[in-house]
Amino acid sequence: MVIREAIDRDVMSLKELVAQLGYTSLNAEEILVKMKLYQKENYKLLVAEVDSNVVGFIALHWFDIFHSAGKIGRITAFCVEEQFRSQGIGQLLLVEAEKVFRNEGCTKMEVTSNKKRLRTHEFYAMQGYDEESKRFSKYLK
């Protein structure tokens, strides 16, 4: 397995992985636009590749937070192909994310997970993540 930065030819694999998260409305062109954003400063998009096939990804963003020293690293999206789950790929992507965040001066990292994804919550807990707060959201029209 190889972890590397995403490149344009990964777009269809990423589209399929995003769909596995339940976000089926993004087309390939929109995914490509997002990929370009994640090539900019304070962003990184990593993929896990097995036998030249993308089987997972993790999207990272880091920024200064007003109320604390240092930066916070946020995992904005994260998915491993269904048939490759529970094989350590997600753990390796998280380890790589931690390296990126540390190198960028982050003192904390966080991830948001939909409340219905109970298996995912167990995964994060096993990786040393604590549930610290409640997140509220409101869609703007």
Side-chain angles (χ1 to χ4, degrees):
M1 191 199 62
V2 173
I3 296 177
R4 61 170 174 76
E5 289 193 45
I7 56 176
D8 289 358
R9 71 177 160 89
D10 300 327
V11 67
M12 292 311 294
S13 297
L14 289 168
K15 182 182 180 315
E16 290 174 25
L17 287 165
V18 168
Q20 284 188 22
L21 291 172
Y23 304 104
T24 56
S25 64
L26 290 175
N27 62 40
E29 187 175 301
E30 292 166 319
I31 295 284
L32 193 56
V33 168
K34 297 283 187 183
M35 291 174 68
K36 296 294 184 196
L37 170 66
Y38 275 76
Q39 292 172 355
K40 294 183 179 182
E41 189 176 346
N42 294 2
Y43 292 89
K44 193 169 291 267
L45 180 61
L46 301 173
V47 297
E49 195 176 63
V50 174
D51 297 328
S52 300
N53 296 309
V54 172
V55 298
F57 80 95
I58 192 164
L60 310 174
H61 177 51
W62 54 94
F63 51 93
D64 286 296
I65 50 177
F66 188 78
H67 61 278
S68 182
K71 297 176 187 172
I72 191 163
R74 179 171 288 160
I75 298 168
T76 63
F78 181 24
C79 185
V80 173
E81 173 75 42
E82 222 169 311
Q83 67 190 37
F84 286 89
R85 292 180 189 160
S86 299
Q87 297 180 27
I89 294 169
Q91 290 171 312
L92 293 173
L93 282 166
L94 277 181
V95 167
E96 200 61 34
E98 288 179 24
K99 288 180 191 174
V100 169
F101 289 145
R102 279 191 187 97
N103 288 339
E104 296 298 335
C106 296
T107 56
K108 181 178 180 180
M109 63 187 285
E110 67 180 16
V111 61
T112 301
S113 180
N114 190 298
K115 62 185 176 182
K116 68 182 176 186
R117 297 183 197 272
L118 300 179
R119 189 169 165 218
T120 303
H121 302 164
E122 291 173 11
F123 169 77
Y124 288 126
M126 289 188 315
Q127 306 310 310
Y129 287 73
D130 294 318
E131 186 176 350
E132 291 186 329
S133 61
K134 207 172 260 253
R135 180 173 172 218
F136 297 88
S137 60
K138 179 179 181 180
Y139 287 92
L140 304 175
K141 296 179 183 182

